[in-house]
Amino acid sequence: MNGKVRLGEFLQTRRSQLQPEDLGIPGYGERRRVPGLRREELASLAGVSVSYYTRLEQGQSLNASPQVLDAIARALRLEEAERLHLHDLARSSATDSGRGRRPAPERVTEATGQLLEALAHVPAIVTGRRSDVLAWNRLGHALFAGHLDPGAPDRPADQPNMARLVFLDAHTRDLYADWPAKARAVVGNLRLVAGRHPDDTTLHALVGELSSKSAEFASMWADHRVTACAVATYEMRHPLVGPLTVTQQTLSQGLGPDQGQNIVVATTEADSTARTTLALLDQVTPQHDPARQGIRAGSR
């Protein structure tokens, strides 16, 4: 799917999700043939002509200024992550070459490996931009994917993918008490990444696979919601130690060789039962050779 289509679909979907009465637009009791705002109503709210906005939705206008995009974002009531996503889509539609590319394999640097080892008593994993698990420490493996081989991240062909696990793996699905919330966060993040990397053929293949194998993913993907999940709290139901509430924090690696990678850590409140439960998981989890957990950087 090229950038023009992605931009048009995003605008159409978000326009359909707005209710006229929520924006103070009188309906006069009329029945609408389609949900949401009409193009002319959205154009009026954004301060642009109907013909211009129509061309933008149809992928025929490729030079929308940042000011116009921000006006449309305000009219659509987009949040900040969604506004930036709109700019990414407009940029990719203007420069779309029609040719995808397969990016170079992602690797964990020695510094990131040292950080994982330092976080020995905090569950932590390193994910690539497509949510591939590039490395995890012992407790991160035990909390998020204890049913998998601890050495899997170090083998490119076997690397777990957190999006696949959330939608296609029964163990991971059962791990989250509110699975739909976790699933929406995963889809929203993938949407964000897809807007930033429109030529990533591996990412598009992942989206296609999940769409074909999971009707829930396909429905959430069609919703065009965008989520930048830096911090989220989840109730987890671990098969070994029982329920615990954790705060998952995503630390983005924005510069250098780690660009696009994230470190996801799970923390618990001090003096909470969750902190005690996590300590119990630490005790019952066997020790592993760090080299078999994807931590040994530069070995691939």
Side-chain angles (χ1 to χ4, degrees), residues 51-238:
S51 60
Y52 178 84
Y53 179 77
T54 300
R55 291 196 303 272
L56 195 62
E57 269 200 8
Q58 294 175 345
Q60 298 173 0
S61 179
L62 306 180
N63 57 350
S65 69
Q67 293 79 11
V68 167
L69 293 174
D70 284 341
I72 292 174
R74 288 191 294 271
L76 289 172
R77 294 193 170 183
L78 301 184
E79 297 180 356
E80 179 62 13
E82 296 170 323
R83 184 187 71 83
L84 295 175
H85 181 64
L86 175 61
H87 281 263
D88 287 336
L89 292 177
R91 191 178 305 113
S92 69
S93 71
T95 60
D96 190 8
S97 66
R99 297 190 301 269
R101 61 176 179 268
R102 185 177 295 275
E106 296 178 285
R107 293 179 171 86
V108 176
T109 63
E110 183 177 354
T112 300
Q114 292 172 358
L115 178 57
L116 282 186
E117 292 177 333
L119 296 171
H121 300 293
V122 178
I125 64 175
V126 180
T127 60
R129 73 186 190 199
R130 294 177 293 272
S131 75
D132 294 317
V133 179
L134 307 179
W136 48 31
N137 62 10
R138 181 179 62 90
L139 202 50
H141 166 250
L143 178 65
F144 291 108
H147 62 305
L148 301 181
D149 180 354
D154 206 42
R155 301 188 299 270
D158 298 329
Q159 279 182 343
N161 178 278
M162 292 308 298
R164 281 195 190 95
L165 290 176
V166 167
F167 280 93
L168 305 180
D169 181 76
H171 172 97
T172 306
R173 189 182 186 109
D174 291 342
L175 198 58
Y176 290 91
D178 188 355
W179 178 85
K182 178 63 178 178
R184 286 192 295 270
V186 168
V187 174
N189 181 69
L190 279 181
R191 269 282 177 202
L192 199 61
V193 175
R196 293 171 181 167
H197 304 280
D199 298 327
D200 189 331
T201 57
T202 303
L203 176 60
H204 295 316
L206 173 65
V207 170
E209 175 194 349
L210 293 175
S211 297
S212 65
K213 293 181 178 179
S214 170
E216 291 159 313
F217 178 90
S219 175
M220 293 181 188
W221 185 258
D223 199 39
H224 283 267
R225 293 291 178 181
V226 177
T227 309
C229 289
V231 181
T233 300
Y234 296 105
E235 181 183 342
M236 304 183 77
R237 302 175 296 197
H238 198 276

